[in-house]
Amino acid sequence: MKGMNFMIVGVGGQGTILVSDILAEVGMLAGLDSKKSDIMGLAVRGGSVSSHVRWAEKVGSPMNMLGTVDVLMASEPMEAMRAVEYLRKDSTVICNTYRVQPMLVSTGQAEYPSEAEVARCLGDASSRVITYDATAKSLEIGNVKTMNIVLLGTLSTLTDIAPEIWEQAITKYVPAKALEKNIAAFRVGREVK
């Protein structure tokens, strides 16, 4: 497998860092050089969070350059829109449709982009966009905190790495008491096309 560049974005508290830890671990388990870098806003809970993860035979910098990301996984639509400059033209975006209103929107100082604006922005920046309500799917599983792992399950289908390796990495990073629901969430996400 040749290298892949990933960017994981979301709002503080949505599990962006956990997903990037798992993703980096999967790369290592697959025998690749794997590096990651996390960027957290000042207000971690509710602020923007992004993680860069890179897999290759040999990775230099853990940060993706603009125009080099193969897969953008977003836990929130506006966060996806903020990251499109990192995408390659032939990239894939996986985006949760559930909206988290930023402070400026909730106080009436700004407007949240419409679904059409989000779709146009993501579609113009990449060749494939997969959007669905991962938050609703996680609630069906019985734990809203598994939303990030639902999205990760979808992301995993874009690689040729066996699901067992992904589940091994999830097992390493998710607490034992939450493991069963997280594995279920991963499997639900793999069924999304």
Side-chain angles (χ1 to χ4, degrees), residues 95-192:
C95 183
N96 184 13
T97 57
Y98 184 83
R99 297 166 173 231
V100 177
Q101 302 274 333
M103 185 63 72
L104 288 176
V105 172
S106 59
T107 59
Q109 296 173 316
E111 273 189 44
Y112 199 98
S114 69
E115 285 182 27
E117 289 170 315
V118 173
R120 186 170 45 255
C121 175
L122 300 183
D124 287 349
S126 65
S127 59
R128 183 176 180 205
V129 179
I130 303 167
T131 58
Y132 62 96
D133 191 340
T135 301
K137 289 190 179 298
S138 68
L139 287 169
E140 289 169 18
I141 294 161
N143 186 344
V144 72
K145 291 182 177 179
T146 64
M147 173 275 298
N148 56 340
I149 305 297
V150 172
L151 291 168
L152 185 67
T154 305
L155 183 152
S156 74
T157 66
L158 304 177
T159 74
D160 57 4
I161 298 172
E164 297 76 26
I165 291 177
W166 290 86
E167 291 183 12
Q168 182 181 345
I170 292 167
T171 301
K172 177 176 178 177
Y173 283 96
V174 170
K177 65 181 180 181
L179 185 58
E180 186 180 336
K181 288 199 185 297
N182 277 272
I183 295 294
F186 174 75
R187 292 174 181 170
V188 164
R190 284 188 61 82
E191 298 303 314
V192 175

Side-chain angles (χ1 to χ4, degrees), residues 8 15-22 36 38-40 49-51:
I8 314 300
T16 303
I17 306 300
L18 173 65
V19 163
S20 68
D21 287 342
I22 293 167
K36 73 176 252 339
D38 303 317
I39 302 166
M40 294 174 272
V49 180
S50 63
S51 291

Side-chain angles (χ1 to χ4, degrees), residues 55-72:
W55 296 347
E57 295 277 322
K58 179 72 181 136
V59 176
S61 168
M63 296 290 290
N64 292 302
M65 303 295 287
L66 297 180
T68 64
V69 168
D70 299 297
V71 180
L72 170 64

Side-chain angles (χ1 to χ4, degrees), residues 27-93:
M28 287 187 287
L29 291 172
L32 297 165
D33 189 11
S34 179
K35 289 195 172 57
K36 73 176 252 339
S37 177
D38 303 317
I39 302 166
M40 294 174 272
L42 291 175
V44 176
R45 183 150 318 265
S48 292
V49 180
S50 63
S51 291
H52 298 254
V53 179
R54 301 185 65 214
W55 296 347
E57 295 277 322
K58 179 72 181 136
V59 176
S61 168
M63 296 290 290
N64 292 302
M65 303 295 287
L66 297 180
T68 64
V69 168
D70 299 297
V71 180
L72 170 64
M73 187 191 109
S75 299
E76 204 282 330
M78 190 181 274
E79 296 303 324
M81 293 177 75
R82 289 181 179 151
V84 295
E85 65 187 351
Y86 283 94
L87 293 171
R88 297 164 43 111
K89 263 300 186 196
D90 60 346
S91 62
T92 300
V93 175

